[in-house]
Amino acid sequence: MNNLMRRAQNVQLWRKYCVKQYTTEAASASLSRGKPNYDEFIGGRQVQAQRSIVVQVSSEKSYSELYNYCSRFGSIVGAHHYCVRHDDDLHYILLEYSTVNEASAAIDSGAANGDLSGVPVRSPFLWFKAAPGRRGPKLAANTNNNNNSQLPLSDLLSVDGTRQLDQASLLSQLRGAAGIEQQVQLLHEHTQLNDLGVRMRFLAALQVQQAISGMFPAAQAHPFGSSVNGFGRMGCDLDLILRFDGETGLRKESDGEPPSRLIYHTKENLSNGRSQTQRHMECFGDMLHLFLPGVCHVRRILQARVPIIKYHHEHLNLEVDLSMSNLSGFYMSELLYMFGEIDPRVRPLTFSIRRWAQACGLTNPSPGRWISNFSLTCLVMYFLQQLRQPILPTIGALVKAAEAKDVRVTEDGINCTFGRDLERVGFQSRNTSSLSELLLQFFEFYSQFDFHNRAISLNEGRQLAKPDHSAMYIVNPLEQLLNVSKNVSLEECERLRIEVRNAAWILESEVENSTLPESERQDEAWGLLNLFKHPEKAVIRPNMFFKPRMVEVSDLFEEQQQQSTTGPASDGGATA
Ligand code: CTP
Ligand code: MG
């Protein structure tokens, strides 16, 4: 079979996956059932975004007036207020309608802003203008009291839904916990991405998709990464993949009619796949930058292994990384989602470890020679697989449980097939360790790990001989010739070993102090808090091994160019 045929076949498989349509009812049902699988979760959230609009208002007090005005388009089933904090707070209300058509009707009713220049763009992001004859930002709020007969139920509105617990309150909560176990749970509870955060991220994806759907009816923008894999914390970035091989908006084969004989003409692709993707992304970057409401600070990082467009969304206060060619990253998010679902200890434990790594400056929001959150998460998953009583199955075991409906092969031929049905996978852990025991075991395990000679395989759940001289080697579970932690320098790997030793030592002494009377516990940092006590390290700190530096975008270009000329086995992350 030649390459072209194989590619066409893979595109067909991806399409089959994409055409899986979700009705509003099915989506709501799957969300309310409690434990949706990944497809149901993604599909449900996508439909929820289609039923929603985001309206900028003068304050949350505009809610009654907005509700009354917007109810003319349909029945409003939820409302979420949030603030984007600048010099002045900007207020927004996300309204959820009961159907997609109702939300569309509200968007279609939108008018151009006659006072301002700029091309009007159809998008779910709107602005609630003061009623004619009224002026000033306060008016909408004042009319509130006059709004009488049909005041909506106030519990329909959640206020300031993206406000995070400030650092001092979080620490005080952790100090007041009953034990390390509860500290780990509380940290997870208070810092994980909340429902509104997920809604906002799916709206950002929908905005991109809708903006280009006129010209590209098959376009689909899928969120992936920490926004959807269950390991995201409040404020995490949105990773987005834009695809043109789905069939949204096109007639579906499943409609029961024979395939159309009228085929869209397309432009012939003359250049190779990578440079074509780069050109397309350049063009989309310009389009987002010039036309899309809320999109600002657009940066193109097109020389990276996975070319991306980065931008900030000012109505959502959100950083977005848009790619067009990272389908394995999308399926990797599904694997992590499943791992998080398998055992309730997985996510809280990972949150504590990620927070610890951030506190000692092992991780950093910008990509560089340090370990990424994703690599760190892989370390946690592997630790949970290799326990004498494993808490997670190997990926190999998931692959064995795959059925025909689980087959996924990307258009580049990367096989992302694994069993998606957890019941069929049938993994049951007999491990009864508490979260505090697991935390200590994690640090002890990696203080002993031979990073120098051994590589980590989540596919097999065991160590392998290291195939090259990278300081840290984690086999990319879906692209097994690549190393997820290729970017980690020797100094950073050494620093990780030192910090895990410190952490193990701190936690061991915590166990000895666990008999401290409760009154003393309230005043002192104890347990998990002692792991986060690195105020001087919260930013990257120099240490005896090396002088860290922030990686400039231009450095990344150079590195990526070097990597692309020195062979394929480089996988320093989606952006690095
Ligand atoms: N990914 C991957 N291989 C890599 C890097 C990333 O498959 N070498 C995929 C993973 O699914 C990851 C996603 O791309 O979750 C997004 O990468 P990134 O934004 O770096 O990590 P997140 O998991 O989103 O974590 P963070 O909250 O730090 O953004
Ligand atoms: Mg991310």
Side-chain angles (χ1 to χ4, degrees):
M1 187 167 39
N2 67 29
N3 275 347
L4 218 64
M5 279 171 68
R6 194 172 296 126
R7 193 180 152 93
Q9 207 175 54
N10 293 338
V11 167
Q12 284 303 319
L13 282 166
W14 166 249
R15 278 187 179 170
K16 263 193 194 147
Y17 169 70
C18 287
V19 298
K20 203 180 279 175
Q21 292 296 303
Y22 293 88
T23 63
T24 307
E25 299 73 40
S28 320
S30 73
L31 282 182
S32 62
R33 248 202 340 262
K35 270 210 161 188
N37 69 27
Y38 187 70
D39 282 357
E40 288 170 336
F41 165 71
I42 296 279
R45 289 294 191 171
Q46 282 173 332
V47 175
Q48 191 177 58
Q50 288 171 30
R51 288 194 275 110
S52 306
I53 60 173
V54 170
V55 188
Q56 187 170 0
V57 290
S58 53
S59 82
E60 73 270 23
K61 293 185 187 143
S62 308
Y63 172 57
S64 303
E65 194 180 349
L66 179 70
Y67 178 91
N68 284 338
Y69 184 84
C70 289
S71 290
R72 72 185 64 180
F73 306 110
S75 146
I76 294 170
V77 296
H80 308 259
H81 162 267
Y82 66 89
C83 260
V84 173
R85 295 193 158 81
H86 283 298
D87 302 340
D88 287 329
D89 286 354
L90 302 176
H91 295 263
Y92 297 85
I93 294 180
L94 186 160
L95 289 180
E96 182 185 354
Y97 283 99
S98 67
T99 68
V100 173
N101 287 345
E102 291 167 353
S104 286
I107 296 172
D108 289 337
S109 81
N113 182 359
D115 304 343
L116 294 174
S117 58
V119 186
V121 176
R122 188 186 189 281
S123 101
F125 295 93
L126 303 152
W127 169 55
F128 193 40
K129 195 175 175 176
R134 295 178 187 156
R135 291 234 153 255
K138 286 270 175 244
L139 277 175
N142 290 344
T143 56
N144 218 12
N145 302 334
N146 306 334
N147 248 331
N148 35 40
S149 53
Q150 294 176 345
L151 265 187
L153 293 172
S154 56
D155 58 293
L156 208 57
L157 178 73
S158 67
V159 178
D160 212 356
T162 51
R163 181 187 278 279
Q164 297 175 48
L165 204 58
D166 61 72
Q167 186 75 355
S169 317
L170 178 64
L171 297 184
S172 142
Q173 287 247 11
L174 296 186
R175 267 199 302 271
I180 295 181
E181 183 82 12
Q182 197 187 10
Q183 285 185 320
V184 175
Q185 295 285 11
L186 280 172
L187 180 77
H188 178 233
E189 210 173 286
H190 288 302
T191 57
Q192 68 179 324
L193 187 63
N194 68 8
D195 171 65
L196 179 56
V198 177
R199 286 171 188 264
M200 289 161 67
R201 282 158 178 76
F202 276 83
L203 268 158
L206 183 66
Q207 183 192 28
V208 173
Q209 184 173 304
Q210 287 185 341
I212 57 176
S213 62
M215 190 162 170
F216 307 105
Q220 300 211 328
H222 291 281
F224 68 104
S226 59
S227 297
V228 297
N229 64 18
F231 291 90
R233 55 185 178 85
M234 289 298 283
C236 69
D237 69 357
L238 166 65
D239 301 288
L240 208 52
I241 179 165
L242 186 59
R243 306 291 307 169
F244 295 94
D245 43 15
E247 295 195 355
T248 308
L250 301 180
R251 205 169 54 80
K252 319 286 179 321
E253 283 169 35
S254 54
D255 290 348
E257 291 175 38
S260 175
R261 291 180 53 199
L262 298 176
I263 308 297
Y264 290 117
H265 261 303
T266 52
K267 291 281 282 194
E268 197 179 338
N269 295 322
L270 296 174
S271 52
N272 72 40
R274 181 174 164 86
S275 52
Q276 182 190 304
T277 303
Q278 287 167 331
R279 274 294 284 125
H280 288 175
M281 292 198 71
E282 211 168 8
C283 172
F284 284 120
D286 281 345
M287 204 203 71
L288 301 179
H289 171 61
L290 292 173
F291 298 116
L292 239 58
V295 171
C296 55
H297 305 307
V298 177
R299 287 142 289 157
R300 305 185 188 100
I301 304 181
L302 301 179
Q303 304 300 331
R305 183 181 75 83
V306 177
I308 55 168
I309 305 272
K310 274 180 167 302
Y311 63 87
H312 180 76
H313 201 297
E314 60 185 357
H315 296 317
L316 297 169
N317 195 20
L318 182 63
E319 290 302 316
V320 183
D321 283 1
L322 177 72
S323 61
M324 283 172 53
S325 53
N326 189 19
L327 215 44
S328 74
F330 174 82
Y331 290 123
M332 188 62 222
S333 304
E334 182 171 16
L335 270 176
L336 286 185
Y337 177 89
M338 287 174 64
F339 277 163
E341 290 293 300
I342 285 174
D343 190 287
R345 290 167 289 188
V346 176
R347 287 178 179 139
L349 181 73
T350 310
F351 267 65
S352 286
I353 291 166
R354 280 165 74 146
R355 181 80 177 209
W356 155 81
Q358 182 195 7
C360 32
L362 284 172
T363 50
N364 187 285
S366 46
R369 302 175 201 297
W370 33 86
I371 189 165
S372 66
N373 272 330
F374 175 62
S375 295
L376 192 61
T377 307
C378 289
L379 291 187
V380 183
M381 300 304 119
Y382 172 66
F383 159 72
L384 295 171
Q385 287 176 330
Q386 60 71 51
L387 291 165
R388 206 139 50 89
Q389 295 289 358
I391 289 184
L392 288 178
T394 64
I395 293 176
L398 297 184
V399 172
K400 268 200 195 125
E403 301 169 85
K405 66 179 168 59
D406 296 317
V407 173
R408 311 272 193 277
V409 183
T410 72
E411 59 183 352
D412 318 322
I414 302 163
N415 193 344
C416 300
T417 303
F418 49 85
R420 264 90 180 163
D421 180 352
L422 285 179
E423 276 176 27
R424 190 181 152 87
V425 172
F427 176 83
Q428 205 74 52
S429 176
R430 283 198 293 270
N431 188 310
T432 54
S433 300
S434 68
L435 280 165
S436 52
E437 286 164 345
L438 289 172
L439 197 58
L440 177 56
Q441 287 168 20
F442 171 87
F443 292 126
E444 285 171 345
F445 175 71
Y446 282 110
S447 357
Q448 305 293 327
F449 191 84
D450 181 8
F451 283 106
H452 196 62
N453 295 305
R454 312 299 286 170
I456 285 170
S457 164
L458 279 80
N459 302 72
E460 301 183 33
R462 66 181 182 94
Q463 306 171 18
L464 309 172
K466 207 156 76 171
D468 68 21
H469 296 298
S470 310
M472 182 185 286
Y473 203 112
I474 305 171
V475 178
N476 184 321
L478 295 176
E479 296 187 67
Q480 291 181 42
L481 289 178
L482 301 182
N483 171 9
V484 165
S485 51
K486 173 91 180 169
N487 62 309
V488 177
S489 67
L490 201 60
E491 291 86 350
E492 282 297 311
C493 187
E494 198 51 41
R495 212 148 73 81
L496 177 97
R497 273 157 46 93
I498 290 173
E499 294 293 357
V500 287
R501 268 181 212 160
N502 281 344
W505 185 81
I506 291 172
L507 272 188
E508 271 159 18
S509 30
E510 281 303 311
V511 174
E512 285 158 25
N513 291 342
S514 62
T515 48
L516 266 186
E518 208 177 308
S519 54
E520 281 182 45
R521 289 177 162 227
Q522 293 287 344
D523 307 328
E524 282 194 38
W526 62 275
L528 210 50
L529 289 166
N530 277 337
L531 289 183
F532 305 157
K533 249 182 26 188
H534 287 289
E536 81 283 7
K537 302 182 204 166
V539 220
I540 307 178
R541 80 203 149 95
N543 70 14
M544 56 186 171
F545 294 109
F546 88 126
K547 197 162 170 28
R549 66 187 179 99
M550 301 295 283
V551 173
E552 300 292 336
V553 169
S554 55
D555 292 340
L556 279 178
F557 283 179
E558 277 170 30
E559 279 170 25
Q560 292 300 335
Q561 268 158 359
Q562 277 169 13
Q563 285 179 5
S564 57
T565 52
T566 52
S570 54
D571 186 25
T575 56

